[in-house]
Amino acid sequence: MFEVLVYVYENYWRPDACPGHSQLSRKLSAAGFETDEIQDALQWLDGLAAGTRSASAEQRSTSHRVYTDAERDQLGDESIAFLAFLESAGVLSPSLREVVIERASAAGPGPMELDDLKIILLMVFWSLGEEPDALILDELFVDDQDRLIH
């Protein structure tokens, strides 16, 4: 499913540029994706649209998040730490954090790889029609092993 989401992100820079489900499904199938993967991704995108609609209406606030054992098992410590980093940097609001956690839970059993969480984060920003600033994009795209230290 994550490969389908990356394809959608790379080919449709904004959600309003993305075609409807039937046309998108045909395009994804023509690109070589399996029907099950396509259906899972489309269902996941529907949940994302619903989640970001309600989250974008909420005001920014500060909060402290306590993760349940099930959420810790699903996300893993590395992903939770990355979410905390994005919140402390002012990039991720508490309401969007909840959308990310909900979408991570909808992605399947954990623990989630950090790279998969980063794809979810990109898709959350994409669904809002927003692009994070260059430094955050660097965190989301560049592998730590590929970073050059100046």
Side-chain angles (χ1 to χ4, degrees):
M1 178 186 74
F2 288 106
E3 292 84 10
V4 175
L5 295 177
V6 169
Y7 180 89
V8 169
Y9 180 84
E10 289 177 345
N11 288 280
Y12 305 101
W13 288 94
R14 295 181 54 90
D16 56 356
C18 193
H21 279 14
S22 61
Q23 185 179 3
L24 180 58
S25 182
R26 286 191 303 274
K27 288 183 180 230
L28 293 169
S29 182
F33 294 107
E34 298 291 324
T35 303
D36 291 345
E37 279 184 308
I38 294 169
Q39 293 307 314
D40 288 347
L42 293 177
Q43 185 176 11
W44 190 92
L45 285 169
D46 285 342
L48 175 63
T52 54
R53 263 193 308 273
S54 63
S56 63
E58 294 179 24
Q59 294 289 331
R60 285 191 171 254
S61 65
T62 57
S63 68
H64 180 73
R65 179 65 152 84
V66 177
Y67 292 88
T68 66
D69 290 339
E71 289 170 335
R72 292 189 76 77
D73 291 342
Q74 172 66 32
L75 294 169
D77 291 337
E78 190 176 25
S79 292
I80 291 172
F82 191 70
L83 289 174
F85 160 71
L86 292 177
E87 277 190 88
S88 69
V91 174
L92 192 65
S93 69
S95 59
L96 288 181
R97 174 199 61 218
E98 295 306 312
V99 172
V100 171
I101 293 168
E102 190 275 326
R103 291 289 81 207
S105 296
M112 174 159 284
E113 296 289 326
L114 181 58
D115 287 341
D116 292 341
L117 179 76
K118 289 178 178 183
I119 292 169
I120 291 171
L121 284 157
L122 283 172
M123 294 308 293
V124 167
F125 288 119
W126 174 84
S127 71
L128 295 170
E130 296 178 8
E131 184 172 301
D133 68 32
L135 292 175
I136 297 304
L137 278 175
D138 185 52
E139 286 293 327
L140 295 175
F141 279 119
V142 178
D143 209 3
D144 287 341
Q145 301 159 344
D146 298 333
R147 289 188 195 280
L148 295 176
I149 299 178
H150 299 281

